[in-house]
């Protein structure tokens, strides 16, 4: 228990800074630990065990032993544990939000918003647990019946990012637990403590020992530990959220063991505004989507295409609204945009801005690091006159930098929006119903926001196409199916009549 937290916890039992294996809080076998840094100050405020590949086998084997019992637990019991977990998370919302803010940098109101959004997953998958059903049919061959039964796939590994540490865990773990799978979680090195706090609440909710395990690790040991998880023969399913580059490595590692994989990868999402759009609606949506967590969401708007008739007007509206953002420490109530989570993101943002300038882009707001602070702050930045030659068009930014492109026709906008290897989300704003339908069909993305920038919900299948990955998280049937196998039974009947 750390006495020196930079914030007060109402429930001190939530501060867990050891790994969780078989229901026990443990250190890495090496005894090493790594630091957890507050991005708002650049200061170390906690640490966690630096597990490496050698720590994987014990965690997976004990998870497998737990799975042998957990898979037989009645689905209603699993649903009840999920609902109890949901209640405990609700009761500890403020403490969890503080931990998230000090790990990720996001403003407290956003951390609270993330928890509220995430509770959709515990609630939703509690319902899904009891609705897993098989099928029965009568095939063409005489005297036969064919059945399918669904069963949990086994122990799953979750490789989880730092940008939404509560939402990503609850989206993955709730589906796995509802299905009857155990899960070994490898949190991001930036955000181990929020995941450990959630796991403590899962234990308090009644989930048996070994059902959820957490192996924390440093940036340095992340590749080897992740590889060991992907290669372990008792891991039957891997779910990864992160970059397309790493997602491809995970897919290759899992291919060797023919493991089922869900990949939620990079976005580079387009946001289209047509002349007939409600510009206030588009502005409100863009302000929420783009500046949320300082631009560090996979589904954020990376490329904003505005039709020429409203380009200047919308650019002015956007600049005026964005200039009012208050950049500061996430724990400060006045803050409306926090820091980026890692210093690496600052360098990437700066290189994209410099590159845009070289290609003729006009920086009309921000453009650089916030000076005179040890936190990782980047100014909210707007680049006008963006073109396809720019780095920002090619690469996901993951920082508060927004590029505005002008277009004339719908065909031109769709071609530009789709001109990326990625296909996570696309957004468009128009009041033309025919165009709405055409865009839904023609935009190449797994999720389409139509006059909204807020399309994520427990009820909606979440996932991309193209190099944004495969598999769905959340939504009815599809998400829990990622953790199930289908077994077919064929029965031969004797006819007595
Ligand atoms: O960053 C990716 C996840 C964001 C969301 O779930 O809406």
């Amino acid at each position: 228990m750390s006495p020196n937290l930079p914030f007060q916890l109402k429930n001190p039992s939530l501060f867990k800074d050891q790994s969780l294996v078989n229901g026990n809080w443990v250190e890495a076998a090496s005894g090493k630990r790594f630091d957890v840094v507050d991005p708002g100050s650049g200061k170390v405020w906690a640490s966690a065990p630096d597990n490496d590949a050698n720590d994987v086998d014990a965690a997976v084997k004990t998870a497998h032993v737990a799975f042998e019992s957990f898979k037989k637990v009645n689905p209603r019991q699993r649903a009840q544990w999920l609902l109890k977990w949901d209640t405990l998370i609700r009761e500890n919302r403020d403490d969890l939000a503080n931990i998230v803010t000090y790990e990720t940098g996001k403003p407290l109101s956003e951390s609270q918003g993330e928890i509220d959004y995430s509770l959709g997953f515990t609630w939703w998958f509690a319902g899904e647990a009891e609705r897993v059903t098989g099928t029965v049919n009568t095939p063409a061959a005489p005297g036969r019946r064919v059945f399918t039964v669904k069963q949990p796939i086994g122990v799953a590994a979750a490789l989880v990012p730092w940008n939404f540490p509560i939402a990503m865990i609850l989206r993955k773990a709730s589906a796995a637990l509802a299905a009857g799978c155990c899960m070994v979680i490898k949190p991001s090195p930036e955000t181990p403590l929020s995941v450990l706090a959630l796991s403590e609440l899962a234990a308090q909710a009644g989930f048996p020992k070994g059902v959820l395990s957490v192996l924390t690790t440093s940036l340095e040991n992340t590749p080897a530990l992740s590889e060991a998880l992907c290669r372990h023969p008792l891991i039957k399913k891997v779910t990864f959220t992160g970059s397309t580059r790493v997602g491809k490595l995970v897919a290759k590692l899992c291919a060797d063991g023919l493991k089922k994989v869900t990949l939620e990868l990079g976005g580079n999402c387009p946001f289209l505004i047509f002349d007939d759009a409600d510009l206030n609606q588009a502005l409100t949506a863009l302000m929420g989507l783009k500046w949320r967590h300082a631009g560090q969401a996979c589904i954020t708007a990376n490329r904003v295409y505005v039709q020429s008739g409203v380009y200047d007007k919308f650019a002015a509206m956007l600049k005026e609204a964005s200039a009012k953002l208050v950049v500061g420490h996430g724990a400060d109530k006045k803050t409306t945009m926090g820091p980026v989570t890692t210093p690496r993101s600052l360098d990437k943002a700066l290189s994209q801005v410099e590159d845009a300038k070289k290609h003729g882009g006009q920086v009309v707001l921000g453009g650089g690091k916030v000076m005179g602070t040890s936190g990782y702050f980047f100014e909210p930045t707007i680049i006008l006159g963006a073109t396809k030659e720019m780095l920002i068009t090619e690469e996901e930014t993951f920082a508060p930098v927004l590029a505005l492109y002008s277009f004339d026709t719908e065909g031109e906008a769709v071609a530009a929006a789709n001109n990326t290897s990625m296909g996570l989300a696309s957004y468009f704003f128009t009041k033309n119903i025919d165009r709405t339908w055409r865009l839904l069909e023609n935009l190449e993305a797994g999720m389409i926001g139509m006059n909204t920038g807020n399309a994520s919900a427990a009820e909606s299948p979440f996932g991309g196409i193209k190099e944004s990955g495969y598999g769905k998280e959340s939504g009815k049937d599809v998400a829990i199916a990622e953790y199930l196998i289908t077994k077919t039974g064929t029965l031969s009947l004797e006819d007595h009549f």
Side-chain angles (χ1 to χ4, degrees):
M1 183 106 8
S2 165
N4 292 322
L5 295 181
F7 54 89
Q8 289 269 312
L9 282 177
K10 292 183 210 161
N11 176 1
S13 80
L14 287 191
F15 184 78
K16 291 284 180 258
D17 64 353
Q18 290 179 300
S19 300
L20 182 61
V21 175
N22 200 26
N24 301 314
W25 297 101
V26 294
E27 292 296 325
S30 67
K32 290 189 186 152
R33 297 180 65 85
F34 66 95
D35 290 337
V36 180
V37 174
D38 166 15
S41 66
K43 292 193 183 127
V44 173
W45 65 276
S47 66
D50 190 2
N51 291 287
D52 59 33
N54 296 320
D55 296 290
V56 166
D57 190 51
V60 176
K61 279 190 175 142
T62 52
H64 181 72
V65 171
F67 173 67
E68 289 301 313
S69 317
F70 190 60
K71 68 182 182 187
K72 297 183 192 137
V73 168
N74 187 282
R76 181 155 301 176
Q77 174 66 76
R78 294 201 297 266
Q80 281 163 347
W81 284 330
L82 275 166
L83 287 178
K84 181 70 185 160
W85 198 19
D86 180 280
T87 303
L88 291 174
I89 295 166
R90 259 171 233 282
E91 286 170 4
N92 289 282
R93 177 179 183 258
D94 291 345
D95 282 346
L96 289 168
N98 263 314
I99 297 174
V100 171
T101 286
Y102 275 86
E103 285 187 326
T104 64
K106 66 179 71 172
L108 263 178
S109 58
E110 285 190 26
S111 299
Q112 287 159 350
E114 178 181 344
I115 293 162
D116 297 343
Y117 161 54
S118 310
L119 284 166
F121 301 122
T122 36
W123 187 262
W124 175 261
F125 284 108
E128 287 286 273
E130 288 195 67
R131 290 178 181 80
V132 172
T133 52
T135 57
V136 186
N137 73 359
T138 307
R144 289 197 170 200
R145 298 293 180 272
V146 176
F147 307 85
T148 59
V149 289
K150 305 278 180 185
Q151 293 181 315
I153 193 167
V155 180
L159 310 175
V160 193
W162 45 257
N163 57 345
F164 291 89
I166 301 278
M168 298 302 99
I169 291 295
L170 291 185
R171 188 153 71 198
K172 293 173 191 301
S174 303
L177 299 176
C181 293
C182 295
M183 183 169 258
V184 180
I185 301 167
K186 186 215 70 68
S188 191
E190 287 77 11
T191 52
L193 302 174
S194 43
V195 179
L196 293 168
L198 280 181
S199 307
E200 164 63 16
L201 292 176
Q204 289 180 18
F207 281 109
K209 283 178 193 297
V211 167
L212 266 192
S213 307
V214 184
L215 286 177
T216 56
T217 190
S218 63
L219 195 57
E220 192 189 351
N221 280 321
T222 287
L225 189 148
S226 306
E227 176 167 348
L229 278 172
C230 293
R231 288 198 186 281
H232 199 291
L234 292 175
I235 292 288
K236 302 296 178 194
K237 154 92 196 176
V238 176
T239 172
F240 170 74
T241 298
S243 70
T244 294
R245 183 187 70 78
V246 176
K248 288 180 182 178
L249 293 173
V250 168
K252 279 184 197 143
L253 290 170
C254 291
D256 277 348
L258 291 179
K259 290 175 207 254
K260 196 164 172 176
V261 187
T262 305
L263 297 172
E264 302 294 354
L265 309 178
N268 197 8
C269 306
F271 188 104
L272 278 45
I273 303 167
F274 288 85
D275 283 346
D276 62 2
D278 175 337
L279 294 190
N280 286 315
Q281 187 183 39
L283 179 69
T284 306
L286 186 58
M287 292 294 293
L289 182 66
K290 180 65 208 185
W291 306 125
R292 175 168 76 129
H293 196 7
Q296 302 172 106
C298 51
I299 52 159
T300 196
N302 215 52
R303 300 168 288 137
V304 180
Y305 295 94
V306 188
Q307 203 160 14
S308 44
V310 293
Y311 184 89
D312 290 340
K313 183 169 180 200
F314 187 76
M317 287 166 69
L318 179 65
K319 183 181 164 191
E320 191 190 338
S322 304
K324 293 184 187 143
L325 289 166
V326 180
V327 179
H329 194 285
D332 184 336
K333 286 204 166 61
K334 293 191 293 303
T335 296
T336 52
M337 198 183 88
V340 292
T341 304
T342 73
R344 306 185 292 282
S345 304
L346 288 176
D347 297 335
K348 185 172 177 193
L350 203 55
S351 73
Q352 287 195 353
V353 173
E354 292 309 319
D355 171 82
K357 283 201 247 174
K358 262 191 242 146
H359 287 91
Q362 259 179 286
V363 177
V364 294
L365 187 72
K369 298 181 195 181
V370 175
M371 305 312 274
T373 162
S374 52
Y376 313 145
F377 294 98
F378 202 87
E379 298 169 313
T381 296
I382 299 175
I383 299 167
L384 298 188
T387 64
K388 63 179 184 333
E389 288 73 31
M390 294 176 181
L391 215 48
I392 197 164
T393 313
E394 289 282 308
E395 304 180 329
E396 194 174 20
T397 305
F398 240 61
V401 181
L402 192 163
L404 241 69
Y405 307 70
S406 172
F407 71 89
D408 290 316
T409 65
E410 181 182 323
E412 194 191 319
V414 170
N418 290 343
N419 189 16
T420 166
S421 60
M422 296 183 195
L424 188 59
S426 289
Y427 307 87
F428 63 81
F429 287 75
T430 179
K431 293 297 175 191
N432 178 322
I433 190 73
D434 295 346
R435 174 183 286 148
T436 296
W437 194 257
R438 284 195 300 271
L439 290 173
L440 174 64
E441 291 190 353
N442 293 335
L443 287 170
E444 295 171 357
M447 296 171 285
I448 312 282
M450 301 182 279
N451 290 326
T452 178
N454 179 5
S456 305
E459 302 81 350
S460 319
F462 188 103
I465 59 172
K466 295 163 75 178
E467 291 198 2
S468 291
Y470 43 74
K472 290 288 184 192
E473 296 189 309
S474 70
K476 186 170 174 309
D477 303 332
V478 285
I480 196 163
E482 301 277 337
Y483 294 90
L484 295 168
I485 55 157
T486 303
K487 200 177 270 178
T488 306
T490 304
L491 178 70
S492 186
L493 301 175
E494 275 185 37
D495 192 351
H496 285 289
F497 300 101

